[in-house]
Amino acid sequence: GENVEQHPSTLSVQEGDSAVIKCTYSDSASNYFPWYKQELGKGPQLIIDIRSNVGEKKDQRIAVTLNKTAKHFSLHITETQPEDSAVYFCAASYSNQAGTALIFGKGTTLSVSS
Amino acid sequence: DTEVTQTPKHLVMGMTNKKSLKCEQHMGHRAMYWYKQKAKKPPELMFVYSYEKLSINESVPSRFSPECPNSSLLNLHLHALQPEDSALYLCASSLAVSTDTQYFGPGTRLTVL
């Protein structure tokens, strides 16, 4: 079935360093890839997304890259700050007879120490 | 405004109780979703509504009963739950049930005793 693998499961960086989280997906028909940030006690918040017709997208300190051939996409956070500490989930779209939905990776707990 | 609201924030119920979770959005979105999230796990899709019709049911037990009274509201009726159903229940919405961006609410933390 459809699957999204996410690595690493935990990531600790010093403030100001960069953080990279990687995901691979199994469904070659997937064409939408969002990233969510979830802080303790809150719902997931969309931070950036990319569609299959684009290879890279950037929004200030956050960027996402997509390699459709390898079925691989990554989140890059530069100049990390303590408030970036959270759980990050990648997701990929999948379709079946009933419709289209998202399947999530298992999450990465990012800790940024000052 | 990309806000999805959920009530209640917390809910404690016994295994014989009947309760309902509520979700509301006023963004004009026509797709709404229920997810279940256990601690330290990703959200798991339960139900998808598209234009107020149930589009996807991910083999969820019948003790969970969704309802979409109109395009802005989504309910999840709970009956005869088990302790293992304790989780964070998240509602989300998107413009359409295709690959559009999904916006999540803050969730309802459910504890079943």
Side-chain angles (χ1 to χ4, degrees):
Chain A
E2 299 81 13
N3 188 44
V4 174
E5 297 282 342
Q6 183 172 347
H7 298 282
S9 56
T10 59
L11 180 59
S12 297
V13 299
Q14 290 286 323
E15 183 177 2
D17 287 350
S18 294
V20 180
I21 303 171
K22 299 183 178 184
C23 289
T24 57
Y25 59 97
S26 60
D27 186 355
S28 56
S30 295
N31 58 9
Y32 175 63
F33 309 92
W35 286 89
Y36 288 88
K37 173 184 180 182
Q38 188 172 23
E39 296 174 289
L40 201 60
K42 297 185 178 181
Q45 176 191 7
L46 180 77
I47 56 172
I48 196 165
D49 56 10
I50 192 166
R51 299 185 188 271
S52 58
N53 58 346
V54 175
E56 184 173 356
K57 184 176 177 181
K58 191 172 181 181
D59 183 4
Q60 299 184 339
R61 297 187 295 110
I62 295 173
V64 58
T65 59
L66 172 65
N67 182 330
K68 281 223 75 175
T69 303
K71 290 190 276 189
H72 172 273
F73 58 114
S74 300
L75 177 72
H76 303 253
I77 306 174
T78 58
E79 300 171 26
T80 53
Q81 300 166 4
E83 50 266 38
D84 293 329
S85 297
V87 179
Y88 290 81
F89 292 101
C90 64
S93 63
Y94 73 94
S95 297
N96 56 29
Q97 290 179 331
T100 301
L102 295 176
I103 184 165
F104 287 81
K106 291 191 186 304
T108 296
T109 300
L110 174 64
S111 300
V112 181
S113 52
S114 54
Chain B
D1 181 14
T2 56
E3 189 177 25
V4 176
T5 58
Q6 290 186 244
T7 55
K9 201 176 174 84
H10 301 277
L11 178 62
V12 179
M13 61 186 290
M15 289 189 283
T16 59
N17 292 156
K18 283 185 181 180
K19 296 285 184 184
S20 297
L21 309 184
K22 295 184 184 301
C23 173
E24 192 166 1
Q25 58 86 15
H26 294 288
M27 296 179 278
H29 289 178
R30 302 314 298 266
M32 296 186 77
Y33 310 77
W34 279 116
Y35 288 86
K36 174 183 178 179
Q37 186 178 30
K38 299 284 268 185
K40 299 188 184 300
K41 298 289 186 184
E44 292 180 10
L45 184 65
M46 300 175 72
F47 302 104
V48 181
Y49 272 84
S50 176
Y51 288 86
E52 296 136 61
K53 287 187 170 44
L54 186 62
S55 169
I56 295 176
N57 176 342
E58 292 286 3
S59 303
V60 179
S62 59
R63 57 186 184 267
F64 295 92
S65 176
E67 178 197 19
C68 191
N70 60 56
S71 59
S72 300
L73 292 175
L74 184 67
N75 299 322
L76 186 63
H77 302 299
L78 314 172
H79 174 54
L81 294 193
Q82 303 295 311
E84 58 264 30
D85 295 322
S86 298
L88 181 68
Y89 287 84
L90 294 162
C91 174
S93 71
S94 66
L95 196 59
V97 71
S98 55
T99 54
D100 283 336
T101 304
Q102 290 187 26
Y103 297 96
F104 282 83
T108 292
R109 175 72 60 190
L110 174 67
T111 302
V112 181
L113 301 176

PDB file of all heavy atoms in Angstrom, chain A residues 11-34:
ATOM      1  N   LEU A  11      15.946  15.061  15.849  1.00  0.00           N
ATOM      2  CA  LEU A  11      17.016  15.899  15.312  1.00  0.00           C
ATOM      3  C   LEU A  11      17.281  17.022  16.312  1.00  0.00           C
ATOM      4  O   LEU A  11      16.359  17.756  16.667  1.00  0.00           O
ATOM      5  CB  LEU A  11      16.594  16.466  13.951  1.00  0.00           C
ATOM      6  CG  LEU A  11      17.574  17.373  13.215  1.00  0.00           C
ATOM      7  CD1 LEU A  11      18.883  16.650  12.955  1.00  0.00           C
ATOM      8  CD2 LEU A  11      16.957  17.831  11.891  1.00  0.00           C
ATOM      9  N   SER A  12      18.513  17.106  16.769  1.00  0.00           N
ATOM     10  CA  SER A  12      18.899  18.161  17.708  1.00  0.00           C
ATOM     11  C   SER A  12      19.946  19.038  17.051  1.00  0.00           C
ATOM     12  O   SER A  12      20.958  18.524  16.551  1.00  0.00           O
ATOM     13  CB  SER A  12      19.462  17.553  18.997  1.00  0.00           C
ATOM     14  OG  SER A  12      18.478  16.798  19.660  1.00  0.00           O
ATOM     15  N   VAL A  13      19.702  20.342  17.042  1.00  0.00           N
ATOM     16  CA  VAL A  13      20.648  21.284  16.439  1.00  0.00           C
ATOM     17  C   VAL A  13      20.845  22.463  17.378  1.00  0.00           C
ATOM     18  O   VAL A  13      20.031  22.715  18.270  1.00  0.00           O
ATOM     19  CB  VAL A  13      20.160  21.785  15.062  1.00  0.00           C
ATOM     20  CG1 VAL A  13      20.003  20.614  14.089  1.00  0.00           C
ATOM     21  CG2 VAL A  13      18.874  22.566  15.182  1.00  0.00           C
ATOM     22  N   GLN A  14      21.928  23.184  17.141  1.00  0.00           N
ATOM     23  CA  GLN A  14      22.193  24.417  17.866  1.00  0.00           C
ATOM     24  C   GLN A  14      21.518  25.567  17.124  1.00  0.00           C
ATOM     25  O   GLN A  14      21.402  25.562  15.890  1.00  0.00           O
ATOM     26  CB  GLN A  14      23.704  24.680  17.922  1.00  0.00           C
ATOM     27  CG  GLN A  14      24.463  23.719  18.812  1.00  0.00           C
ATOM     28  CD  GLN A  14      24.238  24.013  20.294  1.00  0.00           C
ATOM     29  OE1 GLN A  14      24.132  25.159  20.703  1.00  0.00           O
ATOM     30  NE2 GLN A  14      24.164  22.962  21.085  1.00  0.00           N
ATOM     31  N   GLU A  15      21.072  26.546  17.888  1.00  0.00           N
ATOM     32  CA  GLU A  15      20.461  27.736  17.285  1.00  0.00           C
ATOM     33  C   GLU A  15      21.380  28.320  16.214  1.00  0.00           C
ATOM     34  O   GLU A  15      22.589  28.457  16.422  1.00  0.00           O
ATOM     35  CB  GLU A  15      20.192  28.771  18.371  1.00  0.00           C
ATOM     36  CG  GLU A  15      19.497  30.026  17.880  1.00  0.00           C
ATOM     37  CD  GLU A  15      19.184  30.984  19.016  1.00  0.00           C
ATOM     38  OE1 GLU A  15      19.546  30.687  20.173  1.00  0.00           O
ATOM     39  OE2 GLU A  15      18.585  32.040  18.728  1.00  0.00           O
ATOM     40  N   GLY A  16      20.784  28.620  15.062  1.00  0.00           N
ATOM     41  CA  GLY A  16      21.561  29.180  13.960  1.00  0.00           C
ATOM     42  C   GLY A  16      22.000  28.144  12.942  1.00  0.00           C
ATOM     43  O   GLY A  16      22.323  28.490  11.795  1.00  0.00           O
ATOM     44  N   ASP A  17      22.013  26.863  13.343  1.00  0.00           N
ATOM     45  CA  ASP A  17      22.369  25.798  12.403  1.00  0.00           C
ATOM     46  C   ASP A  17      21.200  25.526  11.459  1.00  0.00           C
ATOM     47  O   ASP A  17      20.082  26.005  11.660  1.00  0.00           O
ATOM     48  CB  ASP A  17      22.713  24.512  13.151  1.00  0.00           C
ATOM     49  CG  ASP A  17      24.048  24.589  13.854  1.00  0.00           C
ATOM     50  OD1 ASP A  17      24.793  25.566  13.613  1.00  0.00           O
ATOM     51  OD2 ASP A  17      24.335  23.666  14.648  1.00  0.00           O
ATOM     52  N   SER A  18      21.479  24.718  10.434  1.00  0.00           N
ATOM     53  CA  SER A  18      20.422  24.277   9.516  1.00  0.00           C
ATOM     54  C   SER A  18      19.906  22.908   9.933  1.00  0.00           C
ATOM     55  O   SER A  18      20.622  22.128  10.576  1.00  0.00           O
ATOM     56  CB  SER A  18      20.964  24.204   8.089  1.00  0.00           C
ATOM     57  OG  SER A  18      21.295  25.480   7.621  1.00  0.00           O
ATOM     58  N   ALA A  19      18.661  22.623   9.574  1.00  0.00           N
ATOM     59  CA  ALA A  19      18.057  21.316   9.841  1.00  0.00           C
ATOM     60  C   ALA A  19      17.478  20.788   8.538  1.00  0.00           C
ATOM     61  O   ALA A  19      16.860  21.544   7.783  1.00  0.00           O
ATOM     62  CB  ALA A  19      16.968  21.433  10.906  1.00  0.00           C
ATOM     63  N   VAL A  20      17.672  19.497   8.293  1.00  0.00           N
ATOM     64  CA  VAL A  20      17.149  18.858   7.087  1.00  0.00           C
ATOM     65  C   VAL A  20      16.385  17.601   7.475  1.00  0.00           C
ATOM     66  O   VAL A  20      16.900  16.764   8.223  1.00  0.00           O
ATOM     67  CB  VAL A  20      18.273  18.487   6.097  1.00  0.00           C
ATOM     68  CG1 VAL A  20      17.668  17.815   4.853  1.00  0.00           C
ATOM     69  CG2 VAL A  20      19.077  19.716   5.709  1.00  0.00           C
ATOM     70  N   ILE A  21      15.180  17.485   6.975  1.00  0.00           N
ATOM     71  CA  ILE A  21      14.339  16.307   7.208  1.00  0.00           C
ATOM     72  C   ILE A  21      13.980  15.731   5.848  1.00  0.00           C
ATOM     73  O   ILE A  21      13.607  16.480   4.941  1.00  0.00           O
ATOM     74  CB  ILE A  21      13.062  16.669   7.990  1.00  0.00           C
ATOM     75  CG1 ILE A  21      13.419  17.344   9.326  1.00  0.00           C
ATOM     76  CG2 ILE A  21      12.215  15.423   8.243  1.00  0.00           C
ATOM     77  CD1 ILE A  21      12.228  17.940  10.061  1.00  0.00           C
ATOM     78  N   LYS A  22      14.093  14.403   5.729  1.00  0.00           N
ATOM     79  CA  LYS A  22      13.907  13.768   4.417  1.00  0.00           C
ATOM     80  C   LYS A  22      12.739  12.781   4.443  1.00  0.00           C
ATOM     81  O   LYS A  22      12.536  12.079   5.445  1.00  0.00           O
ATOM     82  CB  LYS A  22      15.184  13.048   4.010  1.00  0.00           C
ATOM     83  CG  LYS A  22      16.371  13.980   3.882  1.00  0.00           C
ATOM     84  CD  LYS A  22      17.618  13.257   3.408  1.00  0.00           C
ATOM     85  CE  LYS A  22      18.779  14.231   3.256  1.00  0.00           C
ATOM     86  NZ  LYS A  22      19.988  13.585   2.715  1.00  0.00           N
ATOM     87  N   CYS A  23      12.019  12.725   3.326  1.00  0.00           N
ATOM     88  CA  CYS A  23      10.898  11.785   3.182  1.00  0.00           C
ATOM     89  C   CYS A  23      10.950  11.116   1.829  1.00  0.00           C
ATOM     90  O   CYS A  23      11.369  11.725   0.839  1.00  0.00           O
ATOM     91  CB  CYS A  23       9.567  12.508   3.346  1.00  0.00           C
ATOM     92  SG  CYS A  23       9.239  13.028   5.034  1.00  0.00           S
ATOM     93  N   THR A  24      10.547   9.857   1.797  1.00  0.00           N
ATOM     94  CA  THR A  24      10.357   9.139   0.538  1.00  0.00           C
ATOM     95  C   THR A  24       8.923   8.606   0.506  1.00  0.00           C
ATOM     96  O   THR A  24       8.355   8.297   1.550  1.00  0.00           O
ATOM     97  CB  THR A  24      11.344   7.969   0.386  1.00  0.00           C
ATOM     98  OG1 THR A  24      11.181   7.082   1.511  1.00  0.00           O
ATOM     99  CG2 THR A  24      12.776   8.454   0.352  1.00  0.00           C
ATOM    100  N   TYR A  25       8.381   8.515  -0.692  1.00  0.00           N
ATOM    101  CA  TYR A  25       7.006   8.043  -0.825  1.00  0.00           C
ATOM    102  C   TYR A  25       6.952   6.920  -1.840  1.00  0.00           C
ATOM    103  O   TYR A  25       7.864   6.743  -2.648  1.00  0.00           O
ATOM    104  CB  TYR A  25       6.076   9.195  -1.229  1.00  0.00           C
ATOM    105  CG  TYR A  25       6.419   9.880  -2.528  1.00  0.00           C
ATOM    106  CD1 TYR A  25       5.787   9.529  -3.716  1.00  0.00           C
ATOM    107  CD2 TYR A  25       7.370  10.896  -2.568  1.00  0.00           C
ATOM    108  CE1 TYR A  25       6.091  10.164  -4.905  1.00  0.00           C
ATOM    109  CE2 TYR A  25       7.683  11.538  -3.753  1.00  0.00           C
ATOM    110  CZ  TYR A  25       7.050  11.173  -4.912  1.00  0.00           C
ATOM    111  OH  TYR A  25       7.364  11.792  -6.104  1.00  0.00           O
ATOM    112  N   SER A  26       5.866   6.142  -1.769  1.00  0.00           N
ATOM    113  CA  SER A  26       5.825   4.937  -2.608  1.00  0.00           C
ATOM    114  C   SER A  26       4.923   5.077  -3.831  1.00  0.00           C
ATOM    115  O   SER A  26       5.148   4.400  -4.842  1.00  0.00           O
ATOM    116  CB  SER A  26       5.338   3.747  -1.762  1.00  0.00           C
ATOM    117  OG  SER A  26       4.037   4.003  -1.243  1.00  0.00           O
ATOM    118  N   ASP A  27       3.907   5.940  -3.764  1.00  0.00           N
ATOM    119  CA  ASP A  27       2.927   6.035  -4.845  1.00  0.00           C
ATOM    120  C   ASP A  27       3.409   7.018  -5.914  1.00  0.00           C
ATOM    121  O   ASP A  27       3.454   8.228  -5.682  1.00  0.00           O
ATOM    122  CB  ASP A  27       1.584   6.497  -4.275  1.00  0.00           C
ATOM    123  CG  ASP A  27       0.467   6.474  -5.317  1.00  0.00           C
ATOM    124  OD1 ASP A  27       0.740   6.185  -6.507  1.00  0.00           O
ATOM    125  OD2 ASP A  27      -0.685   6.742  -4.940  1.00  0.00           O
ATOM    126  N   SER A  28       3.757   6.509  -7.070  1.00  0.00           N
ATOM    127  CA  SER A  28       4.292   7.377  -8.130  1.00  0.00           C
ATOM    128  C   SER A  28       3.241   8.369  -8.634  1.00  0.00           C
ATOM    129  O   SER A  28       3.582   9.344  -9.302  1.00  0.00           O
ATOM    130  CB  SER A  28       4.809   6.524  -9.300  1.00  0.00           C
ATOM    131  OG  SER A  28       3.783   5.678  -9.771  1.00  0.00           O
ATOM    132  N   ALA A  29       1.965   8.130  -8.309  1.00  0.00           N
ATOM    133  CA  ALA A  29       0.914   9.065  -8.724  1.00  0.00           C
ATOM    134  C   ALA A  29       0.762  10.240  -7.759  1.00  0.00           C
ATOM    135  O   ALA A  29       0.033  11.187  -8.050  1.00  0.00           O
ATOM    136  CB  ALA A  29      -0.418   8.326  -8.838  1.00  0.00           C
ATOM    137  N   SER A  30       1.427  10.209  -6.616  1.00  0.00           N
ATOM    138  CA  SER A  30       1.353  11.327  -5.672  1.00  0.00           C
ATOM    139  C   SER A  30       1.826  12.601  -6.332  1.00  0.00           C
ATOM    140  O   SER A  30       2.847  12.596  -7.036  1.00  0.00           O
ATOM    141  CB  SER A  30       2.219  11.036  -4.433  1.00  0.00           C
ATOM    142  OG  SER A  30       1.728   9.942  -3.711  1.00  0.00           O
ATOM    143  N   ASN A  31       1.086  13.702  -6.138  1.00  0.00           N
ATOM    144  CA  ASN A  31       1.494  14.943  -6.790  1.00  0.00           C
ATOM    145  C   ASN A  31       1.400  16.165  -5.884  1.00  0.00           C
ATOM    146  O   ASN A  31       1.513  17.296  -6.343  1.00  0.00           O
ATOM    147  CB  ASN A  31       0.674  15.173  -8.067  1.00  0.00           C
ATOM    148  CG  ASN A  31      -0.808  15.236  -7.781  1.00  0.00           C
ATOM    149  OD1 ASN A  31      -1.232  15.276  -6.645  1.00  0.00           O
ATOM    150  ND2 ASN A  31      -1.601  15.233  -8.843  1.00  0.00           N
ATOM    151  N   TYR A  32       1.177  15.937  -4.582  1.00  0.00           N
ATOM    152  CA  TYR A  32       1.097  17.055  -3.643  1.00  0.00           C
ATOM    153  C   TYR A  32       1.770  16.642  -2.349  1.00  0.00           C
ATOM    154  O   TYR A  32       1.490  15.558  -1.817  1.00  0.00           O
ATOM    155  CB  TYR A  32      -0.374  17.411  -3.397  1.00  0.00           C
ATOM    156  CG  TYR A  32      -0.571  18.481  -2.350  1.00  0.00           C
ATOM    157  CD1 TYR A  32      -0.071  19.764  -2.532  1.00  0.00           C
ATOM    158  CD2 TYR A  32      -1.255  18.199  -1.175  1.00  0.00           C
ATOM    159  CE1 TYR A  32      -0.251  20.741  -1.572  1.00  0.00           C
ATOM    160  CE2 TYR A  32      -1.439  19.173  -0.206  1.00  0.00           C
ATOM    161  CZ  TYR A  32      -0.934  20.439  -0.410  1.00  0.00           C
ATOM    162  OH  TYR A  32      -1.114  21.408   0.544  1.00  0.00           O
ATOM    163  N   PHE A  33       2.668  17.516  -1.839  1.00  0.00           N
ATOM    164  CA  PHE A  33       3.526  17.133  -0.712  1.00  0.00           C
ATOM    165  C   PHE A  33       3.598  18.294   0.287  1.00  0.00           C
ATOM    166  O   PHE A  33       4.411  19.204   0.156  1.00  0.00           O
ATOM    167  CB  PHE A  33       4.932  16.779  -1.230  1.00  0.00           C
ATOM    168  CG  PHE A  33       4.908  15.781  -2.350  1.00  0.00           C
ATOM    169  CD1 PHE A  33       4.877  16.194  -3.668  1.00  0.00           C
ATOM    170  CD2 PHE A  33       4.891  14.418  -2.071  1.00  0.00           C
ATOM    171  CE1 PHE A  33       4.829  15.273  -4.711  1.00  0.00           C
ATOM    172  CE2 PHE A  33       4.853  13.485  -3.106  1.00  0.00           C
ATOM    173  CZ  PHE A  33       4.813  13.912  -4.418  1.00  0.00           C
ATOM    174  N   PRO A  34       2.771  18.261   1.313  1.00  0.00           N
ATOM    175  CA  PRO A  34       2.819  19.320   2.338  1.00  0.00           C
ATOM    176  C   PRO A  34       3.708  18.930   3.516  1.00  0.00           C
ATOM    177  O   PRO A  34       3.958  17.737   3.767  1.00  0.00           O
ATOM    178  CB  PRO A  34       1.354  19.410   2.785  1.00  0.00           C
ATOM    179  CG  PRO A  34       0.818  18.026   2.602  1.00  0.00           C
ATOM    180  CD  PRO A  34       1.596  17.409   1.448  1.00  0.00           C
TER     181      PRO A  34
END
